[in-house]
Amino acid sequence: MPAGEYEFVVVANRLPVDMTVEDDGSLSWERSPGGLVTALAPIMQKNGGAWVGWSGKAGLEHDPFDAEGIHVTPVTLSAQEIADYYEGFSNGTLWPLYHDVIVPPEFHRNWWNAYVAVNRRFAAAAAEAVAPGGTVWVHDYQLQLVPSVLRLLRPDVKIGFFNHIPFPPVEIFAQLPWRRQVVDGLLGADLVGFQRPGDASNFLRAVRRLTDLQVRGPQVTMPGHWSRPDRQVRAQAFPISIDSAAFDELARTPDVIARAKQIRKELGSPEILLLGVDRLDYTKGIRHRLKAFGELLEDGQLRVPEATLVQVASPSRERVEQYQLLRDEVEVTVGRINGDFGTLGRAAVHYMHHSYPATEMAALYLAADVMLVTSLRDGMNLVAKEYVAARSDLGGALVLSEFTGAADELGQALQINPHDIAGTKATIMRAITMDAREGRRRMRSMRRRVMQHDVQRWADDFLGYLAMSVPSERESV
Ligand code: F6P
């Protein structure tokens, strides 16, 4: 296959820009918010980088274009492929399977076939873009077959893969009818990165159980054939982070500080402001959080209007049935709590089903006394890190589920098992009544971790390890 011209190629389900086709057919784009783009953009601008991804729109065909120094290469998905590959196999099969089967995963052969076809298309686009001996970094569960397809097309390139979500224990992973193909797909990479050490060891256990390959420590040996020598695949944890300095700086701006004060005022100047910020996803434990908060009101441990909960639930995957069911349940529960405990003009729960820009989020974080992160399973949870980065005043308390990747790093958060409603209630009360000195000490320690381990360091670590791996074709030269 002819080589392309880009030394560094990122392959992700989403593009780093949000594309809009105007009425006159012209295209406009805006950089997507988010840490991944922020971390990778400078590397791409420096070395000549391309980004292969889907625009988020059905059937949108567009030639590659340059945006902020990145060569943007859109992959077209038809409406049927979105239904089968994205909503179906990625979010109806893999997402629940990789998140402790909180809802039952569905296994459909037509979804799998679409996943294979779309993964091949992403791999072909990457193979066309990458320069001889270049580096390709593939992201996330939607694209687990890309590494092995790409290796067949371009054995000369270094291939990294990073899984942003958990990797399940083999006992659960083994339910997948195509488990062996997924493992083989990932083993096409030189380096397979995970959020937590536990995810990496789950993957290595799956390799041991489902293949006869040799696994030693973090390395899997892929036997060579013909003149090609053996190849080593390394599986390791690289916990992702946020652009901590940018978030810290944003939360210190006078506008954000003023907005935080205004938010509290608009809410009726409650004594205790609790906050939840999530994509509306069943992995986030929003129902558990609402149950705990509702019971605290029922018990009289908290009262409206002294206490109020702001819940931002940004719309997500709205065509997938389990997300529709969750939305209904959450909204019925919010209505019930407000009906039972709200007073005229003062709601118990302020529920927002939309996304907000980063400035408003930073103001909400600054305004909140207690941040509630109650995920039932979460690869990392960057909201927890954003809250910590926003609190240079050392105020606020973080209640954090032990089932998040962030819990490994934020040992000074008040950790909970969200399934334990009594324990969660007690911990929320502990956060509310915590001595200010203890709160500052905990926040200082968490900030040290988040400020030092930012998304740039994460990308540098991963790419540093990847650079040390030697692709098989060059080994044999
Ligand atoms: O956490 C995994 C992830 O795919 C993120 O990368 C992404 O921001 C989020 O879920 C939302 O996903 P989607 O692309 O399905 O909207």
Side-chain angles (χ1 to χ4, degrees):
M1 172 151 210
E5 53 184 291
Y6 296 93
E7 287 298 332
F8 181 51
V9 175
V10 170
V11 188
N13 182 51
R14 300 273 187 179
L15 285 173
V17 292
D18 295 323
M19 290 165 65
T20 313
V21 182
E22 307 293 347
D23 291 343
D24 64 358
S26 66
L27 175 95
S28 66
W29 56 265
E30 240 178 75
R31 183 165 164 163
S32 313
L36 189 60
V37 190
T38 314
L40 299 180
I43 305 169
M44 307 191 94
Q45 286 152 0
K46 194 163 122 210
N47 301 330
W51 191 304
V52 175
W54 166 51
S55 66
K57 312 245 173 339
L60 178 66
E61 287 189 38
H62 203 279
D63 289 336
F65 59 97
D66 291 323
E68 295 187 15
I70 301 174
H71 187 69
V72 177
T73 308
V75 171
T76 305
L77 297 185
S78 67
Q80 191 61 49
E81 283 170 335
I82 294 168
D84 293 344
Y85 147 80
Y86 171 70
E87 289 154 3
F89 199 77
S90 297
N91 292 315
T93 305
L94 293 173
W95 183 268
L97 188 74
Y98 283 30
H99 287 89
D100 288 0
V101 294
I102 296 167
V103 305
E106 290 183 42
F107 303 117
H108 298 295
R109 281 164 282 186
N110 58 325
W111 288 4
W112 164 252
N113 292 338
Y115 186 78
V116 174
V118 170
N119 270 250
R120 285 190 181 142
R121 194 172 312 147
F122 274 80
E128 239 178 74
V130 66
T135 297
V136 180
W137 192 359
V138 185
H139 289 265
D140 230 355
Y141 64 104
Q142 303 94 344
L143 299 173
Q144 293 172 102
L145 308 181
V146 169
S148 60
V149 180
L150 181 58
R151 183 162 295 282
L152 283 176
L153 297 171
R154 292 291 305 277
D156 58 303
V157 302
K158 284 189 170 62
I159 305 172
F161 179 92
F162 185 76
N163 200 47
H164 290 248
I165 69 172
F167 195 87
V170 65
E171 290 75 11
I172 289 179
F173 180 68
Q175 289 180 17
L176 185 68
W178 308 278
R179 60 203 186 182
R180 178 66 204 251
Q181 289 94 317
V182 168
V183 166
D184 287 343
L186 293 170
L187 289 172
D190 298 293
L191 177 62
V192 187
F194 296 92
Q195 299 282 22
R196 306 216 254 199
D199 298 315
S201 54
N202 282 346
F203 172 68
L204 290 164
R205 274 187 68 222
V207 174
R208 262 197 218 103
R209 179 81 70 86
L210 303 171
T211 75
D212 49 17
L213 295 166
Q214 195 188 79
V215 181
R216 217 177 267 151
Q219 310 255 88
V220 183
T221 303
M222 304 294 289
H225 36 97
W226 301 106
S227 61
R228 217 164 265 171
D230 290 357
R231 184 170 67 81
Q232 300 298 323
V233 181
R234 191 180 174 88
Q236 191 178 319
F238 297 89
I240 200 170
S241 192
I242 56 168
D243 188 351
S244 315
F247 219 88
D248 171 65
E249 208 176 295
L250 177 66
R252 289 175 194 260
T253 55
D255 283 358
V256 167
I257 294 170
R259 176 66 188 139
K261 290 201 179 111
Q262 191 188 10
I263 288 172
R264 286 192 80 107
K265 221 161 152 198
E266 282 172 4
L267 292 169
S269 304
E271 281 163 32
I272 304 152
L273 174 51
L274 302 149
L275 176 66
V277 174
D278 314 83
R279 273 188 312 104
L280 188 47
D281 193 299
Y282 50 79
T283 59
K284 305 292 181 185
I286 301 172
R287 287 181 307 124
H288 295 64
R289 183 182 315 164
L290 289 171
K291 186 164 179 55
F293 180 62
E295 284 193 15
L296 286 171
L297 293 172
E298 203 174 315
D299 301 345
Q301 295 192 67
L302 294 178
R303 264 182 306 273
V304 180
E306 288 85 23
T308 191
L309 167 66
V310 171
Q311 175 63 55
V312 177
S314 52
S316 185
R317 305 173 188 164
E318 289 182 280
R319 286 156 48 99
V320 178
E321 193 191 357
Q322 290 291 349
Y323 289 74
Q324 294 164 357
L325 295 172
L326 174 75
R327 181 173 178 189
D328 289 347
E329 272 187 75
V330 165
E331 293 181 356
V332 164
T333 309
V334 168
R336 199 165 285 158
I337 295 175
N338 280 335
D340 286 345
F341 304 106
T343 60
L344 212 55
R346 293 287 173 257
V349 184
H350 295 261
Y351 168 80
M352 261 76 60
H353 185 243
H354 27 244
S355 313
Y356 287 102
T359 47
E360 185 72 358
M361 293 315 305
L364 274 167
Y365 292 144
L366 261 189
D369 301 304
V370 180
M371 178 82 213
L372 300 173
V373 176
T374 57
S375 311
L376 307 178
R377 178 57 71 194
D378 213 329
M380 176 50 63
N381 197 286
L382 295 177
V383 164
K385 292 190 174 181
E386 286 179 358
Y387 183 65
V388 169
R391 298 310 301 246
S392 60
D393 63 350
L394 304 183
L398 174 61
V399 172
L400 179 64
S401 163
E402 64 188 70
F403 302 120
T404 60
D408 276 10
E409 295 175 78
L410 303 178
Q412 288 299 317
L414 297 177
Q415 297 206 0
I416 53 156
N417 167 4
H419 297 282
D420 172 7
I421 300 295
T424 300
K425 286 165 62 183
T427 308
I428 293 174
M429 291 313 294
R430 186 166 165 224
I432 290 171
T433 53
M434 190 163 54
D435 169 61
R437 260 192 27 214
E438 182 186 347
R440 280 199 300 276
R441 181 180 57 71
R442 287 177 179 272
M443 189 55 82
R444 190 177 295 117
S445 146
M446 291 191 285
R447 280 182 62 75
R448 206 170 299 131
R449 173 76 200 185
V450 171
M451 298 312 291
Q452 283 171 7
H453 292 77
D454 65 357
V455 71
Q456 197 60 63
R457 179 161 172 178
W458 165 80
D460 293 347
D461 273 358
F462 185 93
L463 292 172
Y465 268 94
L466 184 55
M468 286 190 283
S469 67
V470 183
S472 50
E473 199 159 80
R474 286 203 283 172
E475 256 179 342
S476 60
V477 176

